[in-house]
Amino acid sequence: MPKILIVGGGYAGFYTAWKLEKHLRKGEAEVTMVDPLPYMTYQPFLPEVAAGEIEARHVIVGHRRHLSRTRVVTAKVTGIDHANKVATITPPAGEPWQEEYDQIVVTAGAVSRTFPIPGIADNAIGLKTIEEAVAIRDRVLTNFDLAANMPPGPERDRLLTVVVVGGGFAGIEVFAELRAMASSLVKDYPSISFEDTHFHLIEAMGRIMPEVSLKTSEWVLKSLAKRGANVHLDTQVTGAVDGNVELSTGEVIPTDVIVWTAGVMANPTVVRGSDLLVEERGRIATRADLRVGTEDEIIEGAWAAGDVSAVPDLTGGGVGGYCVPNAQHAVRQAKLLAKNLVAVLRGELPREYVHKNLGAVAGLGLYSGVFQSGNIAIKGFFAWVAHRGYHGLAMPTWERKWRVIFDWWNNFWLGRDNVTLQTVQNPRYVFEEFAARPRPVQPAAAEAPAAKAGDKVSAAG
């Protein structure tokens, strides 16, 4: 039986495995999926998780629950020797092992791309995982609790300041959602006014959201400005030591929350650890039919899709001639990859991936959004409805869709659940504080002093 190894369980990996289960006949192939996490994260919902509009667990899809005929391995792939069709699997505990395969599907996704700016690695946080979204939310809520007990001053201002770096879709969405959440929090904190909260977005380019028209991006800037949010264009971050964000303009912004969304890069652990063909930007070189290789060369038995791959955009709309790294392409590539892989196993020819971008939609906080498709642009409430409608339908599995929809419905009537759970990151703090511990061992009693000369010694006889 042919062995199919899927590297990565994100969008592309999960959907590939999901569709392979649908298309493969019983006993036609054995599918194994390897990922260090036991779930897929629906990343477009991360800004709403950070703002407390969706329960964190509801935007992840459990691998084992929804992949009934796939062998799921929770570990990392740290090496791919395709010449011998062997991958190195490294689990969180235990020794690594060699996994043989006949077909490999590389869908390891992307990670946050950073630059060697002092302080960023130590003080910033990304927005690629559910854990990061939860941590951002809890930090903002905790900072409100701390600031409420402080008199006005620099330390209080620092706690109530949020800096987001990167003006793409992810940056703008989390920036707008956090601004909206902070505005809603003020009513619960009498000692904190709207003017006490400060939000700054830093963008190196002269505009935000390159996925939409300039006119639409300018509308977004005006909308954010009305809500008291500051956007710094043509500005770079030059330092972030001790939370003091230094800008190329000379301005310094003290903050306790730095969210980094300035770009992504293909998963370097997988790319550097493989002998597969890699293009100049560090992605797996991929043909339009989703096999690894070039127009003139096919690497037999190797496939790739999603953010880790450089797939030609045959519609002509991609940046540099390649599909842009987003969920829209990753999901559709995975669906076709599953069909193509099954076709090759059956001696048929694979089809090329052709998908014209449907447009871009973003949420900008409750009841506000933006949608762009070609020359058509929708702004405000109806764009927000389109955002929730599109992503609600795109969320995989009906079980997950209903959980997200019920979150929206409950919050509509009950409001946000604005309680921080930051102590979850140290769950034993109460137990440790009051737990009984053994008393320290007391030093042995000093030996009695030796008898002095002349002392009487009694003896029975």
Side-chain angles (χ1 to χ4, degrees), residues 58 65 398-408:
H58 296 171
R65 176 168 184 171
W398 280 103
E399 178 256 338
R400 292 286 110 175
K401 294 182 200 292
W402 282 119
R403 291 182 188 273
V404 170
I405 291 170
F406 278 129
D407 282 343
W408 289 335

Side-chain angles (χ1 to χ4, degrees), residues 435-446:
R437 291 177 170 82
R439 292 184 178 181
V441 178
Q442 298 296 325

Side-chain angles (χ1 to χ4, degrees), residues 14-15 18 38-40 42 45 54-67 391-408:
F14 174 81
Y15 268 93
W18 204 24
Y39 51 79
M40 184 211 93
Y42 191 76
F45 281 149
I54 302 178
E55 166 60 33
R57 281 189 175 88
H58 296 171
V59 305
I60 59 177
V61 182
H63 291 155
R64 298 179 189 276
R65 176 168 184 171
H66 296 283
L67 297 174
H391 286 298
L393 291 173
M395 183 74 186
T397 81
W398 280 103
E399 178 256 338
R400 292 286 110 175
K401 294 182 200 292
W402 282 119
R403 291 182 188 273
V404 170
I405 291 170
F406 278 129
D407 282 343
W408 289 335

Side-chain angles (χ1 to χ4, degrees), residues 110-117 120 126 128 165 260-266 268 281:
V111 298
S112 296
R113 181 190 64 185
T114 58
F115 307 100
I117 300 171
I120 287 295
K128 292 290 291 179
V165 185
W260 183 274
T261 65
V264 297
M265 64 179 179
R281 295 189 62 184

